[in-house]
Amino acid sequence: MIQQRNIALCVVLSIITCGIYGIYWFICMHDDTNTAAGDSSDVSAVLALVLTIVTCGIYGIYWMYKRGKQIEQAQKNRGLPSTDNSVLYLILSIFGFSWVAMILAQNELNKLAEAGS
């Protein structure tokens, strides 16, 4: 089941905890998008985090792109109007605005949670 999250609270907690909550949010978003898209073949959330750290963020750029694809798939699976924001997430991440991409992705996940997962 996808959990709806307060985006402003996620951002504030990430800032207050110096990014520690951001790591938790990353893991939750990974699990939520996998659940929503029904994708059990994706790597685990912890492995995705480790790969992001080891590759100095390069895997994180791909990870954001993949979140966009999975959200689009989840929208299609539910018969909702689908939007492919994966390239937008990719561009934002390349230019250092991955936090904006996470906010946008969480907003789409919140819409999926409202629609009933």
Side-chain angles (χ1 to χ4, degrees), residues 51-62 93:
L51 287 171
T52 300
I53 293 168
V54 168
T55 62
C56 299
I58 294 171
Y59 184 83
I61 293 169
Y62 165 74
S93 297

Side-chain angles (χ1 to χ4, degrees), residues 4 14 17 23 33 42 67 106 116:
Q4 194 168 8
S14 294
T17 62
I23 293 169
T33 53
D42 199 14
R67 295 313 101 197
Q106 185 63 60

Side-chain angles (χ1 to χ4, degrees), residues 58-89:
I58 294 171
Y59 184 83
I61 293 169
Y62 165 74
W63 181 85
M64 276 311 310
Y65 174 81
K66 183 138 185 187
R67 295 313 101 197
K69 289 295 187 186
Q70 286 185 320
I71 290 170
E72 178 191 23
Q73 186 60 47
Q75 291 167 336
K76 286 179 181 177
N77 291 347
R78 288 168 177 72
L80 300 171
S82 63
T83 53
D84 185 2
N85 291 325
S86 56
V87 174
L88 173 64
Y89 299 162

Side-chain angles (χ1 to χ4, degrees), residues 5-26:
R5 298 189 196 311
N6 183 322
I7 296 170
L9 184 61
C10 288
V11 171
V12 168
L13 286 174
S14 294
I15 292 168
I16 290 173
T17 62
C18 299
I20 295 171
Y21 188 82
I23 293 169
Y24 171 74
W25 188 18
F26 176 97

